[in-house]
Every structure is written in structure tokens, then in C-alpha cells.
Amino acid sequence: TKLIDANTTIPTKKSEVLVRLTKDALKANDYSDSKCNIELQSLNVNLDDYREKLISNFNSYNFEYFDNGFNKINSINALNIGINQFNVKISNSSGCFTYVQLTIHFFELPKINLPSEIKICKDEVVELDAGVGFSSYEWNTGENSQKIFVNKSGRYDLKVTNSNGCVALHQINIVENNVGEIFAIKIE
């Protein structure tokens, strides 16, 4: 009703409006991934490859990518060693949207500080030390320790894994020197 004055009211037509507010209408999730730097340089990654990890039925949505300062960026980005975080705006055709975070950890490969070749004398024993800080060591001799001792020429392969799951391979060739032996000295 509409009030004209203190004594007169005029009935008015009422309309109902139904407003439905839905919390989290777009069911999207943050996602985290890890990659190892196998190319020994920056890695180009296509952020579109992660769409299915962020929301189901991903083909029904639009995706926009932003850096941590919410500056719009392309879907293909070069990762830096360390933590790379992206904000992703996911929207539908009705204009509803949500933001999720995509985090990609980009780790360095383990570094093995062993030479590729070591020369030894006959019956000499040499220690091969892969270095500390790896979560696993695998030698082609079957040993799983940081250090091994060898006294034979040949190829020794090493595989190390760091705590991030990144793997490095190294090959060491042990070569026996062909040093002549003196069996006797005859003085005349």
C-alpha cells in the first residue's frame, strides 16, 4: 500500500523478486605442481595445460591469468627457479567468476661434482663420492650409498635424487694407466 496522507492509503500492486545468492557457485580449486629443470635454463609452461586441474568441465569456462600483482599475463610463461605463483580468474557465460591460485615449483637439478674420467694405477683403490644432500644414490654396482670404492677399470654410472624428486645422472670412466713395470735392474 501507498500512503497519501495520515488518513488515506491507496493499495498498490506488489511484485515478488526472488534473489538467490550462491556461495562458491564456481567450484574451482587451487593447484600446485612441481617440475625439475631438465633443460638447465628457464622453462616455458602453458598455463592452459592446468585448466582441468583447476575446475571440472573446464571447456565450459573462460580463463584469464594474472601475476601476483594481478597484472594480466599470457598463458605461456617462462618459469624461474623457485616458486612461481599465478592468479587465475575462471568465469562462465553468466558472468559469475572466481579466482584460484596456480603454484608451480620449479627446482634445479641435483649437481654431481665428480669428473667424467679418473686414471688409476694397477691395484689402486679410488673413492667415488657423489656428495652430500641427496635423498637417494644408485650406482650401477648395486650400491646405494654416497661413496663407493673401486679398484677396477670400467664405467661407473650414478643416479642421484634430491628431496624435490629431481634426478641427475653421471658417468665416470675409470681408466688404468699403462705404466710400465720394472721387474729387475741389471747393472753390468
Side-chain angles (χ1 to χ4, degrees), residues 118-126 150-153 174-179 181:
I118 297 175
K119 295 188 183 217
I120 62 171
C121 294
K122 183 177 181 182
D123 298 324
E124 180 182 1
V125 176
V126 66
V150 297
N151 64 350
K152 294 185 175 136
S153 61
I174 303 296
V175 179
E176 190 175 305
N177 279 330
N178 291 326
V179 177
E181 290 184 45

Side-chain angles (χ1 to χ4, degrees), residues 112-116 118 127-131 139 158 170-172:
I112 301 171
N113 293 317
L114 281 171
S116 59
I118 297 175
E127 176 186 68
L128 302 180
D129 186 347
W139 296 89
L158 170 63
H170 190 73
Q171 182 181 70
I172 306 130

Side-chain angles (χ1 to χ4, degrees), residues 55-87:
I55 194 166
S56 59
N57 300 319
F58 65 92
N59 286 326
S60 305
Y61 299 97
N62 297 314
F63 292 80
E64 294 178 77
Y65 303 99
F66 301 87
D67 63 16
N68 274 340
F70 278 92
N71 300 302
K72 193 170 183 178
I73 57 175
N74 294 322
S75 63
I76 297 181
N77 275 275
L79 298 182
N80 297 311
I81 295 294
I83 298 173
N84 296 266
Q85 291 183 321
F86 305 96
N87 296 296

Side-chain angles (χ1 to χ4, degrees), residues 45-57:
V45 65
N46 187 345
L47 300 178
D48 284 335
D49 293 343
Y50 290 94
R51 295 181 307 165
E52 66 184 293
K53 304 289 186 185
L54 301 172
I55 194 166
S56 59
N57 300 319

Side-chain angles (χ1 to χ4, degrees), residues 138-163:
E138 294 177 38
W139 296 89
N140 64 338
T141 60
E143 295 174 77
N144 294 311
S145 59
Q146 174 186 329
K147 301 175 187 178
I148 64 170
F149 296 90
V150 297
N151 64 350
K152 294 185 175 136
S153 61
R155 189 178 95 192
Y156 293 85
D157 297 323
L158 170 63
K159 175 182 173 184
V160 296
T161 306
N162 66 15
S163 60

Side-chain angles (χ1 to χ4, degrees), residues 2-47:
K2 186 174 179 184
L3 183 62
I4 300 284
D5 58 36
N7 297 322
T8 311
T9 58
I10 300 173
T12 60
K13 187 176 180 183
K14 293 183 179 182
S15 297
E16 273 189 39
V17 175
L18 176 62
V19 176
R20 180 178 292 154
L21 299 176
T22 306
K23 186 176 188 258
D24 298 328
L26 301 180
K27 297 283 186 191
N29 302 300
D30 292 341
Y31 184 75
S32 182
D33 192 17
S34 298
K35 295 194 174 292
C36 297
N37 185 2
I38 58 175
E39 298 176 11
L40 303 176
Q41 58 188 6
S42 65
L43 173 71
N44 285 332
V45 65
N46 187 345
L47 300 178

